[in-house]
Amino acid sequence: MFGRYSVVNRIILDTLSFSSVLEIGDSNNIRSSSKVYAVQREQELFYGSEGNFNDPIFSEPIPLPPLVFDVAVQKINERPNIVVNCIDITGVSSASVVQIGQTCDAYSEARVKNIRHLLNGENS
């Protein structure tokens, strides 16, 4: 798998956040995980210690398909190097991966709990 080059002339990346990965070149393993508990209110009220990660959304196992490796592949890279001129990315967030190269094993997981407190029609 390894032994080649990833050549990138220019990357413009505005935002890389919350366990995201920018990988130029080959890698063996990529593991990224992000847990987000977000409270959004129509009116600005802050109560201090509210919310926690005890919600089942953060702990329930995610079912994964079985991995089957009985596929025979033969390839010839006549130009084995990866050459990229320019990539312009606005944002990468929440356990996402941008890679120029290849990875043997990648696992990304983002768990997000959004709570919105909206005013009823009488208070607006």
Side-chain angles (χ1 to χ4, degrees):
M1 174 177 106
F2 300 103
R4 64 181 184 169
Y5 294 100
S6 295
V7 180
V8 180
N9 185 34
R10 182 176 176 199
I11 290 182
I12 302 167
L13 176 58
D14 294 335
T15 304
L16 180 74
S17 63
F18 303 122
S19 301
S20 295
V21 176
L22 170 62
E23 178 80 32
I24 300 174
D26 297 338
S27 64
N28 205 14
N29 294 301
I30 294 178
R31 297 274 187 266
S32 55
S33 177
S34 178
K35 293 181 179 180
V36 178
Y37 190 98
V39 178
Q40 180 182 20
R41 292 195 173 94
E42 196 170 8
Q43 186 179 26
E44 295 179 10
L45 296 172
F46 302 100
Y47 298 114
S49 62
E50 56 186 317
N52 58 56
F53 290 101
N54 294 332
D55 192 288
I57 194 168
F58 297 114
S59 59
E60 289 179 1
I62 296 175
L64 297 174
L67 298 176
V68 179
F69 294 104
D70 60 352
V71 177
V73 176
Q74 180 181 4
K75 62 182 180 177
I76 299 171
N77 293 321
E78 294 191 19
R79 298 183 71 194
N81 296 333
I82 297 171
V83 180
V84 176
N85 185 26
C86 181
I87 296 176
D88 190 348
I89 301 170
T90 302
V92 181
S93 181
S94 298
S96 298
V97 176
V98 174
Q99 182 173 19
I100 302 165
Q102 67 181 13
T103 299
C104 281
D105 184 28
Y107 179 80
S108 295
E109 177 181 317
R111 295 180 183 226
V112 179
K113 171 94 175 187
N114 281 301
I115 296 176
R116 291 181 174 83
H117 292 177
L118 302 176
L119 299 173
N120 60 25
E122 298 171 6
N123 296 337
S124 54

